[in-house]
Amino acid sequence: MSPLLTVTDLCVRAGDKTLVRDVGFALEAGQSLGIVGESGSGKTMTARAVLAALPAGVTASGEIVFDGIPMVGRRERDLRPLRGTRVSMVMQDPFTALNPLQTIGEHIRESLPRRVRRDRATARSEVARRLAEVGLDSAEVAGRYPFQLSGGMRQRVAIAAALAADPDLLIADEPTTALDASTQAEILRLLHKLQRDRGMALVLITHDLRVAFSVCDRVLVMYAGSVVEDAPSAALMEVPEHPYTLGLLMAEPPVTHVVETLTAIPGSVPRADDVATRCAFAARCDWHVPQCAASRPPLAPVGPGHLSACTRLDEIRPGLRQRRERAAAPATATPPPAGTPILTVSGLSMTYRTTSMVSRATAKQAVRDVSFEIAEGESLGLIGETGSGKTTIARCILGLQTATGGTIRLGDLDVSDHRRLSAKERRRAARLVQVVFQDPYSSLNPMLTIGAALEEAIAVGGTGQSAGELLEMIGLPASYAGRRPSALSGGQRQRVAIARALAVRPRLLICDEPVAALDVSVQAQILELLRQIRRAHGTSMLFITHDLSVVRQMTDRAIVLRHGEIVESGDTAQVLDNPRHPYTVSLVESVPGHQ
């Protein structure tokens, strides 16, 4: 029996630039393939080439055969009947994938086969069946618009629309990146179930190896536009046979225990053309020797069904094993700090009131009677799904919102209502607490140089440090002060955002999902940087995240929020290892690969 999809010697080019080089794989009906790698590795371009949906000016060569049909070089009118019918795609952001002017029912209806759409009663019944397949009630959601649904519900709708024509192949491009942990787990379980029930082939694109291992039969690891390792999921998880794959695995913080050092891959992914004649990973590899730059290593068998592009694998294999064992070793337990409180939150409540021209005023309580303390030098985690009240609490502490009840004290300063603070007290509050937000792209003014942005913060803090000194403290060259944010990578921007927050030497740093938008290796770099800052300066931290692996590595104590209320709290190890509340149990069990 021939494979459903065969890709051979695929190259993707944008003008004179190579984006993907010599990629090949085969996928049978009912099989699932994960494509993994950092941003810039060529994952999405490979998937879009398979779908024959490359952007304007980008071309593919080589051979892509879907169920006996050649896809490369085929006319657009011949490809149109295949897209959305036999081959479908689910994109990363469910909000932008759906038309905000169409109801959910209309999204599903227009994706159904034409013969079904023609009959209204049949189409209505089929819409309800398709929504039920992804766990949604048609009576509840079919008449709604995308903005009226949660992120998880929107992603379910996008999946239902992609599957409405019963495709033989579904390509899912980072379908869970924008979702919290429990919703991510629900979507992954749903994809896995639908793929198995339908006997459908699945290509899952992700930067998270744990996600790929939890869903896929086989995993393709891409780097700088090429495949560096190709293996069954179980084999790759147990015995990675390429230094890059090992680096990706080690960069993911474990949820089971604290490690001494979070290991990141230094540097960044090069352009494919810059490494066309040598090992693409050599510049970032601890095992490279001059011969690695002499030629491009072929993807060769290293075990049953296992391929790797490393010419030195036989020599370095023991080193790979030792490196992984050392990195996974638990850190020595240290008691949490027991200093005086830097932050005291008592009975905090927040109610939002909304009015409209067509309905009465409504009230929604986002936070209800929340109380906690953070000691000097301590790190506290706030855990919960989207909508649990985490960010609302942070905004109230920062004075960006005024709570409707309760008190907030920074040391001996009452900051419950920033509107009542004097100018001097506001400046003092700004020196006591600073924040690092989730999105490094919108955190910095694009019109200011990095140096100018830091000098603004230095003027508030009066620490006497220069912009160059701050940059060197967070691991960037002082010369970056003359650059603008657009010239930096996402990880570099986040480092600058941290430097700006540290310019006033705050006693409390609020980190609101600071690594959620970053690749796993960059995540590890930023988390380790924050650890070093805490050790060096004794900075207290409030860590807001839905990622339990981050909570494990970064916090002494944890608070679990649900619908704005605390449902569980305690030492981080106690909360994660022996959760008492059913909601906390569900969060722990939602971690990919959880046993």
Side-chain angles (χ1 to χ4, degrees):
M1 183 177 177
S2 300
L4 176 68
L5 174 69
T6 304
V7 177
T8 308
D9 297 330
L10 173 65
C11 292
V12 178
R13 297 181 65 82
D16 60 351
K17 296 179 181 178
T18 302
L19 306 179
V20 172
R21 176 180 280 110
D22 299 337
V23 169
F25 59 87
L27 186 64
E28 296 182 7
Q31 278 191 330
S32 53
L33 174 74
I35 303 181
V36 179
E38 296 169 278
S39 297
S41 292
K43 308 184 300 294
T44 296
M45 283 300 170
T46 297
R48 295 192 68 166
V50 168
L51 197 61
L54 290 168
V58 180
T59 59
S61 61
E63 187 176 55
I64 301 173
V65 179
F66 172 74
D67 198 19
I69 304 169
M71 303 289 280
V72 176
R74 205 170 188 83
R75 292 179 300 181
E76 179 65 22
R77 68 181 184 183
D78 295 330
L79 291 168
R80 242 179 247 127
L82 295 175
R83 294 199 206 101
T85 53
R86 299 202 62 197
V87 184
S88 284
M89 191 167 190
V90 177
M91 305 301 289
Q92 176 175 340
D93 186 353
F95 196 75
T96 57
L98 301 174
N99 187 336
L101 301 179
Q102 283 188 329
T103 64
I104 300 308
E106 183 60 22
H107 276 98
I108 307 302
R109 191 195 70 80
E110 72 173 9
S111 301
L112 294 169
R114 186 177 300 174
R115 56 182 170 75
V116 178
R117 294 199 307 265
R118 286 174 180 164
D119 185 275
R120 287 190 176 184
T122 303
R124 193 179 305 113
S125 173
E126 195 65 9
V127 166
R129 185 174 77 85
R130 300 293 181 168
L131 288 172
E133 187 180 34
V134 295
L136 296 175
D137 184 351
S138 178
E140 181 183 344
V141 304
R144 294 189 184 184
Y145 291 88
F147 74 89
Q148 295 174 308
L149 303 183
S150 67
M153 293 173 76
R154 286 195 292 265
Q155 193 62 290
R156 287 172 181 266
V157 171
I159 291 171
L163 297 180
D166 298 316
D168 300 298
L169 170 64
L170 179 67
I171 299 172
D173 189 357
E174 299 277 11
T176 62
T177 298
L179 306 176
D180 57 52
S182 57
T183 308
Q184 178 190 76
E186 290 174 8
I187 296 299
L188 290 174
R189 283 195 295 267
L190 174 64
L191 279 173
H192 192 57
K193 179 179 183 300
L194 292 173
Q195 185 244 334
R196 295 299 185 194
D197 291 349
R198 288 165 167 257
M200 176 180 66
L202 172 68
V203 175
L204 176 66
I205 299 169
T206 178
H207 66 262
D208 190 334
L209 275 168
R210 287 177 298 194
V211 168
F213 293 151
S214 69
V215 174
C216 301
D217 303 313
R218 192 172 190 87
V219 174
L220 216 65
V221 181
M222 290 191 68
Y223 184 78
S226 299
V227 177
V228 296
E229 191 162 5
D230 177 0
S233 291
L236 196 69
M237 181 168 56
E238 291 298 321
V239 187
E241 297 279 34
H242 193 282
Y244 179 60
T245 310
L246 177 65
L248 289 179
L249 283 169
M250 290 170 51
E252 293 179 343
V255 72
T256 53
H257 61 279
V258 178
V259 293
E260 198 70 47
T261 303
L262 293 167
T263 307
I265 307 172
S268 58
V269 180
R271 294 181 300 180
D273 284 330
D274 292 343
V275 290
T277 59
R278 57 188 173 88
C279 173
F281 189 60
R284 303 173 74 188
C285 180
D286 289 338
W287 289 276
H288 78 276
V289 295
Q291 75 182 65
C292 297
S295 62
R296 187 161 169 259
L299 192 64
V302 294
H306 199 144
L307 307 174
S308 174
C310 178
T311 55
R312 298 195 65 222
L313 182 60
D314 289 341
E315 302 170 59
I316 69 172
R317 189 177 275 126
L320 295 177
R321 307 289 182 270
Q322 292 169 10
R323 176 71 61 84
R324 189 176 188 187
E325 290 169 4
R326 285 200 304 269
T332 304
T334 55
T340 57
I342 179 59
L343 174 69
T344 304
V345 176
S346 303
L348 184 69
S349 296
M350 183 67 197
T351 301
Y352 294 103
R353 290 178 173 83
T354 59
T355 59
S356 72
M357 298 176 64
V358 296
S359 63
R360 295 180 180 180
T362 59
K364 178 185 177 183
Q365 192 156 24
V367 178
R368 186 194 304 270
D369 194 25
V370 167
S371 300
F372 61 88
E373 291 183 346
I374 300 179
E376 291 274 10
E378 183 184 31
S379 181
L380 176 72
L382 276 184
I383 310 169
E385 297 171 285
T386 301
S388 62
K390 306 186 302 295
T391 297
T392 297
I393 292 171
R395 290 177 66 84
C396 289
I397 296 169
L398 292 163
L400 301 176
Q401 291 177 327
T402 302
T404 51
T407 60
I408 304 169
R409 299 187 69 86
L410 287 168
D412 59 357
L413 180 63
D414 189 330
V415 295
S416 306
D417 188 345
H418 277 240
R419 297 170 300 184
R420 296 182 179 180
L421 299 179
S422 65
K424 182 178 179 180
E425 287 173 329
R426 287 196 189 99
R427 286 194 297 271
R428 184 182 170 202
R431 287 194 292 268
L432 286 170
V433 60
Q434 284 291 311
V435 63
V436 179
F437 290 110
Q438 174 177 344
D439 186 1
Y441 295 89
S442 59
S443 293
L444 301 171
N445 186 334
M447 303 305 294
L448 292 181
T449 64
I450 300 306
L454 294 179
E455 292 293 348
E456 280 188 342
I458 291 169
V460 173
T463 60
Q465 284 180 294
S466 68
E469 288 172 333
L470 277 172
L471 287 171
E472 289 175 350
M473 183 179 73
I474 52 90
L476 292 177
S479 59
Y480 276 37
R483 299 189 181 188
R484 282 189 164 79
S486 59
L488 305 185
S489 68
Q492 289 171 338
R493 285 190 186 101
Q494 195 64 296
R495 285 175 180 262
V496 172
I498 293 170
R500 187 178 59 181
L502 295 176
V504 300
R505 294 191 182 168
R507 291 166 65 188
L508 172 65
L509 185 63
I510 297 177
C511 300
D512 189 357
E513 299 278 12
V515 296
L518 306 174
D519 279 331
V520 287
S521 183
V522 182
Q523 283 183 24
Q525 293 174 12
I526 298 301
L527 292 176
E528 189 59 30
L529 171 63
L530 289 169
R531 277 178 157 193
Q532 293 169 5
I533 288 166
R534 185 182 167 204
R535 286 193 292 263
H537 303 286
T539 309
S540 300
M541 293 188 180
L542 177 62
F543 232 94
I544 298 171
T545 182
H546 64 258
D547 190 332
L548 299 190
S549 300
V550 171
V551 173
R552 173 75 79 173
Q553 303 303 321
M554 302 302 296
T555 66
D556 305 305
R557 289 188 301 118
I559 290 173
V560 183
L561 289 168
R562 185 169 189 256
H563 300 324
E565 295 183 275
I566 295 176
V567 297
E568 188 162 356
S569 64
D571 292 343
T572 299
Q574 173 190 333
V575 170
L576 297 186
D577 294 337
N578 299 293
R580 301 299 179 88
H581 194 277
Y583 176 65
T584 313
V585 172
S586 71
L587 290 179
V588 173
E589 290 179 345
S590 72
V591 177
H594 173 81
Q595 299 297 324

